[in-house]
Amino acid sequence: PSNGSDTLFPQTMEQELGSDARRPSSDLEQTFGLDAAEALRSMARRKERGGAPDIEAQLRAVDYLTAPSGSTEDMIGERRAAMEAWTEEERGEFTETLDKLIEEERVRGLKLTALDTDDDLPKNRGEVPQDVRVDPNQRAFGQWGETIVRVDRVQKVQRGGTMVRYRCLVVGGNANGCAGFGIGKASSPAEATQVAIRMCKRNVFFVDRYQASGLSSDLVGKHNSCRVLLRSVEPNIGLKGHDLVTLIMTYFGITDCSAKTHGNRNIYNVVRATFKAICTHESLEEIALKRGKRLLNLERAKRLQI
């Protein structure tokens, strides 16, 4: 048992057995047993890395667990975890164990009942590939879609030369009151597009639509020298105005709106000004709550003779 120190054994035993930790694993297991050999190897690894993991190591572990698949934090976390193994066999076993734990947690999160197990399914159904995974953003917000607005080639003059990169603007949503935008930069257009799509799914905005198709009042948004005006219109009027603004309204699921843009019509300014205008939208329930009034529809008001 642990005595409160960083190692599993007292300090004197660590000094006596510290040199034996570098022996081959088969010799360690024959001499000290399986559990003691594993404890010696763990103690030697910890001693080489300067003691027990500090708060920085714990924060790096949290970044790895919360990072999206394929990102830089994910790759760095896998390399740091592989450094704990001394041989390729241990590294492979560690990777298989980690993948198995992740799959078990994913299945446990689905909260399947006893009727949903594989034993109760018909035998004639096709098998689902293991690599097919549902996008968590789609699971939370519904059917999600994106549109690449523009991919620009940008360059910066430095002391050693000119650095060329690519910038991508993506707008996405589910046409049900949820949409977002993302801007990504990378060394290639494909990588910049992937970064922008990930940022679009993180930078999400919500709006409570009037009658599921329009706005409750006129909205104004301003970014730099660009000013976007969104006018509320009657139902079944349609979308009119700037093409990029109408695209954003479509992803929000707003089909009745008239948009007008003033000033500098740079696409980045237009997108940010449009989302700033959407953020100022208030539903009828919110307006009634602010004014201290009760919201009634006309049919109920007639029944109550108000």
Side-chain angles (χ1 to χ4, degrees):
S2 175
N3 58 354
S5 61
D6 293 340
T7 58
L8 298 177
F9 296 99
Q11 186 68 21
T12 55
M13 185 175 295
E14 180 184 356
Q15 295 176 357
E16 294 176 0
L17 302 179
S19 60
D20 293 333
R22 298 183 178 277
R23 295 164 53 184
S25 57
S26 58
D27 297 343
L28 285 176
E29 294 174 0
Q30 292 178 2
T31 307
F32 301 102
L34 183 61
D35 296 336
E38 183 62 29
L40 284 174
R41 285 195 293 268
S42 177
M43 182 174 57
R45 296 192 194 102
R46 185 174 296 179
K47 187 175 180 181
E48 290 180 357
R49 289 164 176 79
D54 53 356
I55 187 64
E56 294 294 336
Q58 298 178 10
L59 291 176
R60 286 195 296 266
V62 171
D63 291 340
Y64 167 67
L65 294 176
T66 57
S69 179
S71 61
T72 305
E73 292 81 1
D74 184 32
M75 298 174 63
I76 293 176
E78 290 181 357
R79 292 178 181 177
R80 290 185 180 276
M83 289 171 59
E84 297 290 337
W86 283 8
T87 61
E88 292 294 336
E89 296 179 357
E90 293 182 1
R91 187 174 303 175
E93 293 177 359
F94 175 79
T95 305
E96 293 178 359
T97 304
L98 184 61
D99 293 340
K100 187 181 296 183
L101 290 175
I102 293 174
E103 183 66 21
E104 291 178 358
E105 291 297 330
R106 188 183 68 84
V107 175
R108 187 181 304 173
L110 298 177
K111 297 181 180 179
L112 299 176
T113 60
L115 298 177
D116 297 331
T117 56
D118 296 338
D119 298 336
D120 299 330
L121 294 177
K123 301 300 182 180
N124 56 355
R125 291 188 178 183
E127 297 183 358
V128 179
Q130 296 293 332
D131 56 348
V132 176
R133 297 183 180 180
V134 180
D135 187 3
N137 204 73
Q138 178 177 339
R139 185 181 302 170
F141 307 126
Q143 192 68 27
W144 187 269
E146 301 98 5
T147 297
I148 301 174
V149 179
R150 180 180 294 180
V151 178
D152 297 325
R153 180 179 179 270
V154 296
Q155 59 184 11
K156 180 180 179 181
V157 180
Q158 294 180 335
R159 190 172 185 179
T162 303
M163 181 180 66
V164 178
R165 302 190 72 189
Y166 293 89
R167 177 180 57 185
C168 180
L169 174 62
V170 172
V171 177
N174 65 344
N176 193 20
C178 173
F181 73 98
I183 300 174
K185 292 183 180 181
S187 57
S188 66
E191 295 178 359
T193 303
Q194 295 298 325
V195 173
I197 290 175
R198 290 201 299 265
M199 293 302 298
C200 176
K201 294 179 180 179
R202 293 181 183 180
N203 189 27
V204 179
F205 297 83
F206 301 91
V207 60
D208 190 0
R209 299 166 295 169
Y210 175 70
Q211 295 183 355
S213 64
L215 301 174
S216 59
S217 62
D218 295 347
L219 307 176
V220 178
K222 187 176 183 300
H223 184 77
N224 293 338
S225 60
C226 179
R227 182 172 177 268
V228 175
L229 174 61
L230 303 178
R231 293 190 178 94
S232 59
V233 297
E234 297 179 358
N236 302 323
I237 294 298
L239 294 173
K240 298 179 181 180
H242 197 280
D243 294 338
L244 186 54
V245 178
T246 56
L247 175 63
I248 297 174
M249 294 295 104
T250 303
Y251 275 120
F252 270 113
I254 299 174
T255 58
D256 301 319
C257 178
S258 177
K260 183 65 176 178
T261 57
H262 301 274
N264 185 9
R265 293 173 181 82
N266 181 275
I267 60 171
Y268 298 95
N269 293 339
V270 171
V271 169
R272 293 184 184 274
T274 304
F275 278 94
K276 285 184 178 180
I278 288 294
C279 289
T280 61
H281 182 266
E282 294 180 346
S283 62
L284 297 182
E285 290 79 7
E286 294 175 349
I287 297 175
L289 186 62
K290 280 187 176 182
R291 297 181 58 189
K293 305 291 184 179
R294 179 177 297 179
L295 184 63
L296 295 176
N297 55 17
L298 294 177
E299 295 181 359
R300 187 174 181 184
K302 290 180 181 178
R303 289 198 302 267
L304 297 177
Q305 297 181 357
I306 298 178

